[in-house]
């Protein structure tokens, strides 16, 4: 705008100058004639001035044009660049649209292929459907699947689209083939070399085969998902090989390889689902088999439980209860006036009865427990009397078998000790019986008892017991052996003896009975072993047991072990007692024992009868004897109902039971019982318990 104003001002100034000159010259009186006249000169000047102005204006226009071009050139360049950018965007958009069309087409093919694949959960059907659909979509010449064998040493051709009868190519390749290793170790589609063994085997060497592509497919199992992702575990891979036809020199395009990549992932997922289904079906079958096995085991356990209950019932009714009745009757005979020989016989019968009763109780207790252990009865007893009784029984057995008997006991043995008297007696009788069963000939049974004092020079491994330096502990050694009679003149005796031992020479090994006996001895913290002779037959058995003594207050303890007070019926005369026991024989024997003490006894066979007798009796009962294992209503339930009917401290309730468990006594106290009499019920034991309760 400023340049245009300046240019206009300049032109106006020049025009005004020409007009002014013209006006001034008109007043001039010069000569107007000739070439060099004033008018001619003025015309020339006007012409020159016009040309000058024209040139000047032309120069001004040129300058303006030049100045304008300086601003127009960048604009033109900018427009040109924008045009090129737009053309590039149009080209890229065309490419993207083409790719989108191809992707849409590929996704459609993949969806269709996936739909066909997922119509089945069978592995072989999935793979065959994959080969057929890929061949249709990509127009393949052949398609094959290679899988590793069980040992993963070879890749086998398992599925093929077009089978060939040609046997020139192997249907298996080593797992360390370069192409196999490369494909298994990489992701995505790999184009195989023309000389590839995998490609040649997949195309079967056909001249119509073109470019070959391959991709791995993970064969996932349920175990692949335990403890981590599939990438962190050893995954098994199959290889999918695709062969293009050789026509038109066709090569693999990007979108075709992309389709193959996506399809391989879908096939891997479908195969994993099929594997999971197959394994779930297998697990279901295994669970069914285990369920059947568990049901059979449950049935066997119930049968075993029924057999055990039947065994316990037979043992209880057929052996334990009759033995308790016998012992109760024998305890009555012990209080009678008898001759010395009669008393020895009765005492021996009582001792053997106690041994058999303990053995029966142990068998029943072991049958109810899974660990095979039972509680020891650690009580004070007289060791000398126990050894004397055992030697008497051993002598009787030896005489019955035709053997002589020799008895030797160390004088310094302690008398009053604490231990399980009955089971120690059992073991001694077992040792005698074992040796007498081994030998059928004549000889002498030697029974020696001594105390093991000091451990210097002793082989503790042989004794097998734990030793301590406690002054109240004593290790008693029982040694029973057989010394045979040898006859040099009569060889027939030796021949008979050897013949009788020939069929038992293998029995020196520890049998089942000896193992049970040894386990019992080890529970008593002792040991037992067999010493064979030169020909391998058991010649002696040795038993070492540990007993305790309490010298400081031993008399008080042993005074509690067995009452020496004579049984008197003056204290119990007229005592009203009600007895409830479901076993008729035991009920009769217990009633006789109570009547022997002078009690007035009312016996009933069930808990209901006991409650009825208590509520309807004209005179009150002071003692109630209840068997704890009555049917329908046991002794605990009867005791609870008695305490609800009567006062808390009257009448006194005493339980009758053969169990030696500690919880029985605790439960008896909880239900309000005053005492417990353990079977077998003896006259002296019943008198002591009644005296304590009263």
């Amino acid at each position: 705008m400023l340049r245009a104003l300046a240019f206009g001002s300049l032109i106006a100034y020049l025009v005004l100058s020409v007009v002014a000159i013209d006006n001034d010259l008109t007043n001039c009186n010069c000569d107007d004639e000739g070439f060099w006249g004033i008018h001619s000169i003025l015309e020339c000047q006007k012409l020159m001035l016009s040309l000058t102005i024209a040139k000047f204006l032309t120069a001004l226009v040129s300058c303006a044009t030049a100045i304008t071009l300086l601003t127009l050139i960048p604009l033109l360049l900018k427009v040109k660049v924008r045009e090129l950018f737009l053309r590039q965007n149009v080209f890229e958009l065309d490419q993207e649209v083409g790719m989108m069309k191809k992707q849409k087409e590929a996704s459609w093919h993949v969806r269709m292929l996936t739909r066909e694949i997922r119509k089945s959960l069978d592995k072989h059907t999935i793979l065959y459907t994959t080969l057929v659909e890929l061949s249709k979509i990509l127009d393949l010449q052949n398609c094959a699947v290679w899988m590793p064998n069980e040992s993963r040493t070879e890749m086998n051709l398992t599925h093929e689209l077009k089978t060939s009868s040609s046997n020139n190519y192997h249907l298996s390749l080593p797992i360390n083939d370069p192409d196999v290793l490369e494909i298994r170790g990489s992701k995505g589609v790999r184009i195989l070399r023309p000389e590839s063994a995998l490609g040649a085997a997949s195309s079967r060497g056909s001249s119509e085969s073109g470019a070959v592509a391959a991709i791995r497919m993970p064969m996932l199992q349920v175990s692949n998902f335990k403890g981590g992702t599939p990438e962190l575990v050893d995954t098994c891979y199959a290889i999918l090989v695709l062969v293009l036809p050789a026509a038109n020199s066709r090569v693999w395009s990007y979108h075709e390889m992309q389709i193959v990549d996506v399809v391989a992932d879908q096939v891997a997922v479908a195969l994993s689902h099929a594997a999971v289904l197959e394994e779930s079906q297998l697990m279901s079958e295994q669970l069914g088999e285990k369920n059947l096995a568990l049901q059979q085991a449950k049935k066997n356990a119930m049968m075993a439980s029924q057999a055990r209950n039947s065994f316990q019932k037979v043992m209880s009714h057929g052996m334990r209860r009759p033995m308790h009745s016998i012992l109760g009757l024998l305890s009555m005979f012990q209080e009678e006036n008898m001759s010395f020989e009669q008393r020895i016989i009765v005492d021996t019968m009582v001792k053997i009865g106690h041994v058999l009763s303990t053995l029966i109780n142990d068998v029943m207790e072991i049958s109810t427990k899974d660990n095979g252990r039972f509680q020891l009865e650690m009580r004070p007893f007289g060791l000398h009397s126990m050894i004397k009784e055992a030697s008497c029984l051993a002598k009787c057995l030896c005489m019955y078998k035709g053997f002589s008997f020799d008895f030797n006991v160390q004088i310094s043995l302690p008398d009053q000790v604490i231990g399980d008297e009955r089971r120690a007696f059992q073991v001694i009788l077992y040792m005698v019986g074992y040796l007498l069963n081994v030998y059928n000939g004549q000889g002498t049974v030697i029974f020696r008892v001594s105390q093991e004092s000091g451990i210097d020079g002793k082989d503790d491994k042989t004794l097998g017991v734990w030793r301590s330096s406690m002054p109240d502990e004593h290790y008693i050694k029982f040694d029973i052996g057989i010394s045979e009679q040898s006859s040099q003149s009569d060889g027939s005796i030796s021949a008979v003896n050897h013949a009788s031992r020939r069929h038992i020479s293998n029995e020196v090994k520890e049998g089942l009975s000896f193992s049970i006996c040894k386990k019992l001895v080890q529970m008593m913290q002792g040991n037992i072993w067999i010493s064979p002779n030169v020909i391998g037959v058991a010649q002696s058995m040795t038993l070492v047991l540990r007993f305790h003594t309490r010298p400081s207050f031993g008399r008080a303890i042993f005074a509690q072990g067995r009452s020496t007070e004579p049984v008197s019926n003056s204290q119990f005369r007229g005592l009203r007692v009600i007895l409830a026991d479901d076993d008729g024989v035991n009920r009769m024997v217990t009633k006789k024992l109570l009547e022997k003490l002078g009690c007035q006894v009312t016996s009933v066979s069930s808990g209901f009868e006991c409650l009825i007798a208590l509520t309807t009796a004209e005179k009150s009962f002071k003692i109630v004897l209840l068997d704890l294992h009555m049917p329908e209503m046991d002794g605990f339930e009867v005791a609870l109902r008695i305490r609800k009917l009567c006062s808390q401290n009257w009448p006194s309730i005493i339980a009758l039971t053969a169990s030696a468990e500690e919880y029985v006594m605790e439960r008896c106290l909880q239900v309000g019982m005053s005492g417990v009499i353990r079977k077998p019920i003896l006259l002296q034991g019943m008198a002591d318990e009644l005296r304590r309760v009263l």
Side-chain angles (χ1 to χ4, degrees), residues 57-76:
L57 291 176
T58 302
L60 289 177
V61 171
S62 298
C63 291
T65 303
I67 293 172
T68 305
L69 288 176
L70 293 177
T71 58
L72 291 177
I73 290 174
L75 293 176
L76 294 175

Side-chain angles (χ1 to χ4, degrees), residues 295-309:
Q295 291 179 357
Q296 185 64 32
K298 180 181 178 181
K299 184 178 179 180
N300 295 337
M302 294 178 63
M303 293 176 60
S305 178
Q306 293 175 358
R308 181 175 61 184
N309 294 335

Side-chain angles (χ1 to χ4, degrees), residues 504-633:
I504 58 171
S505 60
N506 294 330
E507 295 182 1
V508 179
K509 297 181 180 180
E510 298 181 0
L512 179 61
S513 60
F514 181 81
S515 300
I516 296 175
C517 185
K518 187 173 184 179
K519 185 176 181 179
L520 175 62
V521 172
Q522 290 175 350
M523 289 177 61
M524 295 188 291
Q525 296 183 347
N527 194 22
I528 184 173
W529 65 89
I530 302 174
S531 300
N533 57 12
V534 293
I535 62 173
V537 180
Q539 188 171 9
S540 65
M541 296 183 71
T542 304
L543 170 67
V544 178
L545 293 177
R546 184 175 69 173
F547 297 103
H548 294 268
T549 59
R550 293 290 187 270
S552 59
F553 51 95
R555 292 184 179 180
I557 294 178
F558 298 121
Q560 298 175 6
R562 180 177 179 181
S563 176
T564 59
E565 183 180 351
V567 178
S568 176
N569 57 3
S570 60
Q571 184 179 0
F572 309 113
R573 184 174 290 112
L575 181 65
R576 287 180 55 80
V577 179
I578 183 170
L579 170 64
D581 194 339
D582 63 305
D583 185 80
V585 177
N586 282 347
R587 186 171 63 250
M588 181 189 67
V589 173
T590 306
K591 183 178 180 180
K592 292 294 183 182
L593 293 175
L594 291 171
E595 291 176 348
K596 181 73 174 178
L597 296 176
C599 302
Q600 296 181 7
V601 184
T602 300
S603 61
V604 294
S605 60
S606 66
F608 293 105
E609 295 179 3
C610 179
L611 294 175
I612 294 173
L614 286 173
T615 54
T616 60
E618 296 180 358
K619 294 183 180 181
S620 60
F621 293 95
K622 197 168 185 180
I623 298 293
V624 179
L625 293 178
L626 294 176
D627 182 54
L628 294 181
H629 302 287
M630 291 185 294
E632 297 181 358
M633 184 186 298

Side-chain angles (χ1 to χ4, degrees), residues 259-275:
I259 291 175
V260 173
D261 195 0
V262 175
V263 169
D265 293 337
Q266 294 296 324
V267 173
V269 173
L271 291 177
S272 64
H273 291 172

Side-chain angles (χ1 to χ4, degrees), residues 675-688:
V676 176
I677 298 178
R678 301 194 184 277
K679 297 179 181 180
I681 303 173
L682 306 181
L683 185 63
Q684 183 67 53
M686 178 174 287
D688 293 342

Side-chain angles (χ1 to χ4, degrees), residues 181-251:
L181 294 176
E182 182 181 0
I183 295 170
R184 294 178 70 247
S186 61
K187 296 181 180 180
V189 181
R190 307 292 296 181
I191 306 299
L192 301 182
R193 301 183 303 273
E195 65 275 10
S196 171
L198 180 61
S202 300
S203 60
R204 297 295 184 93
S206 176
S207 59
E208 299 178 357
S209 302
V212 181
I215 188 172
R216 69 178 187 181
M217 292 189 302
M219 307 286 291
L220 301 180
Q221 305 291 332
V222 176
S223 58
N224 293 101
F225 300 97
K226 296 179 180 179
T229 61
E231 296 295 335
L232 300 178
V233 296
D234 187 14
T235 306
C236 178
Y237 290 101
I239 296 179
L240 176 63
V241 181
L242 305 99
V243 183
L244 291 177
N248 301 325
S249 301
R250 181 181 165 188
V251 295

Side-chain angles (χ1 to χ4, degrees), residues 274-483:
V276 170
L277 178 62
E278 183 179 357
E279 292 192 14
S280 64
Q281 292 176 349
L282 180 61
M283 292 175 63
S284 178
E285 294 176 358
Q286 292 177 352
L287 288 176
E289 294 176 357
K290 290 182 179 180
N291 189 22
L292 293 177
L294 287 176
Q295 291 179 357
Q296 185 64 32
K298 180 181 178 181
K299 184 178 179 180
N300 295 337
M302 294 178 63
M303 293 176 60
S305 178
Q306 293 175 358
R308 181 175 61 184
N309 294 335
S310 300
F311 169 76
Q312 292 178 353
K313 185 176 181 180
V314 171
M315 290 288 292
S316 177
H317 293 278
M319 297 186 67
R320 184 164 68 175
R321 289 187 176 185
M323 183 58 62
H324 291 172
S325 301
I326 293 173
L327 290 174
L329 293 174
L330 289 175
S331 66
M332 294 176 58
F333 287 117
Q334 284 182 313
E335 303 300 330
E336 300 291 338
N337 294 325
M338 295 179 293
S339 63
F340 179 73
E341 290 80 5
Q342 291 175 339
R343 183 165 297 279
I344 289 178
I345 294 174
V346 172
D347 290 343
T348 303
M349 293 175 64
V350 171
K351 191 67 178 180
I352 296 175
H354 281 299
V355 172
L356 292 177
S357 178
T358 304
L359 181 61
I360 294 171
N361 292 335
D362 291 344
V363 172
M364 294 188 64
E365 189 173 358
I366 290 175
S367 66
T368 58
K369 296 181 179 180
D370 297 331
N371 56 5
R373 300 184 66 87
F374 48 84
Q375 185 177 3
L376 297 176
E377 298 179 4
M378 305 302 291
R379 297 177 180 177
F381 68 95
L383 180 61
H384 291 178
S385 62
M386 190 270 288
I387 295 174
K388 184 177 180 181
E389 293 172 353
S391 63
C392 290
L393 289 177
K395 184 176 181 180
C396 293
L397 293 175
C398 293
M399 294 177 64
Y400 176 76
K401 287 284 188 178
F403 285 85
S404 302
F405 185 77
D406 187 13
F407 182 56
N408 186 3
V409 180
Q410 186 177 343
I411 301 177
S412 60
L413 289 179
D415 185 16
Q416 300 297 329
V417 296
I418 299 176
D420 196 331
E421 177 187 9
R422 295 181 181 179
R423 292 186 173 89
F425 195 83
Q426 286 179 6
V427 176
I428 294 174
L429 291 184
Y430 168 78
M431 295 166 62
V432 176
Y434 182 88
L435 292 176
L436 292 179
N437 289 332
V438 171
Y439 287 86
N440 294 328
Q442 297 180 354
T444 303
V445 176
I446 303 174
F447 185 14
R448 296 188 181 90
V449 184
S450 60
Q451 181 176 359
E452 292 290 323
S453 60
I455 60 175
D456 296 337
K458 300 290 183 180
D459 187 3
D460 290 342
K461 293 182 180 180
T462 303
L463 295 179
V465 296
W466 177 79
R467 293 182 176 273
S468 67
S469 59
M470 300 295 292
D472 61 335
E473 292 182 352
H474 299 273
Y475 295 90
I476 308 301
K477 180 180 180 182
F478 303 88
D479 194 358
I480 302 177
I482 292 182
S483 176

